[in-house]
Amino acid sequence: VVTSTIARLLEMDYLGRFEASVHSVPSVRLAEETRSIPDGYWDGRSERRSERPRLQQFLDDDEHAEQYPVNTSARFTIDSSGFMGVGRSPEMIIEATVCSDLEAHATNGFDASPATLDTLLEYVNRSVYEAEQTDVEVLLGIASPTGWSESVRRQISQNDISQTKYSRRLSIVLIDLQTGELTYDSSDPVASENARLFALPIDQEQQSECEDEILSRFNRTEFGSEGVLLETLVDEAGFTPHIVKRTFNTLANREAYEQKYLDGKLVLFEA
């Protein structure tokens, strides 16, 4: 189960990390070549989009979209410059998008299902249309706060069908925001050599520090029955949402701890 609050936190955290990753990358693999990326290259070549208007259709008039995920995407464009920089034409779009079930979040306040093939095809169809209409390569990363179904992962990782099934111009990387796992066709060089752009780094040192902070809070009497909130560790201790969530998952696998949602907030308790 992922509540709207957690989905929103994961979305903002992930997109910020993706953008930082792209801005620091020294080169990008295109279909026919590896392109060096000089400092400042992305200035004027990036944008953000979201599905906020679609979310608003599911909300009452007095509800605010800021409380929910809005399926934000971040796009970067590699182009070929004409004479003296005039007449640039796009060659490749690199995009990361977060896919939450907006209707489920608006209706129930949470989503409990891994993303399915229907979700994948919704995003793939858009990208295939854009790639074919504009004759550009598209490298698409789709991040799901609830993970991906096994059938979707098989669909993408089977290298005999995944790339050619949709479009020769489209490469796909799936991101599981619960575990950080990446799924892509290893025989597709555009996906495999650029997959690092979409990675959520597993910082073992940070996770260990987060666990120490959680255990120290449990040793204080006031936290014994109230538990430790994910948002508190983010706001007060400065840990990122995905590090806290992974630490909660690790501790909850032990019999001494369990995680629950209370009023939409994720709390870790001593069992």
Side-chain angles (χ1 to χ4, degrees):
V1 175
V2 176
T3 64
S4 301
T5 302
I6 300 302
R8 179 69 166 161
L9 279 171
L10 291 173
E11 178 179 299
M12 292 189 296
D13 177 64
Y14 179 69
L15 267 297
R17 290 176 177 277
F18 168 71
E19 289 174 328
S21 179
V22 173
H23 277 283
S24 65
V25 72
S27 62
V28 172
R29 172 62 192 261
L30 282 70
E32 304 296 334
E33 62 170 315
T34 296
R35 183 78 56 84
S36 294
I37 304 297
D39 290 342
Y41 180 80
W42 302 116
D43 295 344
R45 293 182 171 92
S46 65
E47 64 174 315
R48 274 198 178 197
R49 301 177 178 181
S50 79
E51 295 184 8
R52 184 181 296 264
R54 180 166 168 253
L55 169 68
Q56 206 68 53
Q57 296 174 9
F58 304 123
L59 299 177
D60 295 332
D61 292 340
D62 58 344
E63 290 185 287
H64 301 291
E66 288 71 20
Q67 302 171 12
Y68 298 90
V70 292
N71 288 352
T72 306
S73 62
R75 293 163 58 97
F76 294 83
T77 302
I78 295 176
D79 54 41
S80 58
S81 298
F83 179 68
M84 297 182 67
V86 177
R88 298 188 308 196
S89 58
E91 291 186 71
M92 182 185 211
I93 292 170
I94 304 171
E95 178 173 2
T97 185
V98 178
C99 65
S100 293
D101 187 332
L102 300 183
E103 186 172 5
H105 281 288
T107 305
N108 306 316
F110 67 88
D111 184 15
S113 303
T116 64
L117 186 59
D118 287 342
T119 303
L120 173 67
L121 291 178
E122 179 184 346
Y123 287 89
V124 165
N125 287 338
R126 296 179 201 168
S127 295
V128 167
Y129 180 80
E130 182 174 15
E132 298 298 336
Q133 289 294 310
T134 60
D135 198 27
V136 298
E137 298 175 43
V138 176
L139 172 61
L140 177 65
I142 316 174
S144 170
T146 55
W148 292 93
S149 69
E150 185 59 36
S151 61
V152 173
R153 291 198 297 268
R154 284 198 304 269
Q155 176 94 186
I156 293 300
S157 59
Q158 290 175 353
N159 55 32
D160 57 332
I161 63 170
S162 58
Q163 187 182 13
T164 55
K165 181 166 186 157
Y166 304 119
S167 169
R168 63 183 178 83
R169 294 186 176 91
L170 175 64
S171 298
I172 301 169
V173 178
L174 302 182
I175 307 97
D176 184 329
L177 293 184
Q178 288 282 333
T179 65
E181 179 184 5
L182 302 180
T183 303
Y184 52 87
D185 175 5
S186 58
S187 71
D188 175 4
V190 174
S192 59
E193 294 183 31
N194 293 315
R196 66 192 186 281
L197 295 174
F198 303 97
L200 262 175
I202 301 175
D203 190 327
Q204 298 292 354
E205 184 177 347
Q206 277 280 303
Q207 195 165 327
S208 177
E209 289 177 7
C210 184
E211 182 173 330
D212 289 343
E213 175 66 22
I214 291 169
L215 297 182
S216 75
R217 287 177 179 247
F218 277 126
N219 288 332
R220 301 177 216 163
T221 16
E222 67 268 24
F223 289 100
S225 58
E226 295 180 2
V228 178
L229 276 73
L230 180 146
E231 289 179 66
T232 301
L233 291 169
V234 172
D235 295 338
E236 295 181 4
F239 294 107
T240 59
H242 79 278
I243 288 291
V244 180
K245 186 65 176 76
R246 288 182 193 177
T247 308
F248 275 19
N249 291 346
T250 299
L251 291 171
N253 284 331
R254 306 173 191 171
E255 292 184 359
Y257 302 95
E258 59 181 346
Q259 51 184 329
K260 296 179 181 178
Y261 283 101
L262 296 179
D263 298 325
K265 300 180 185 299
L266 185 61
V267 189
L268 185 75
F269 292 99
E270 289 183 305

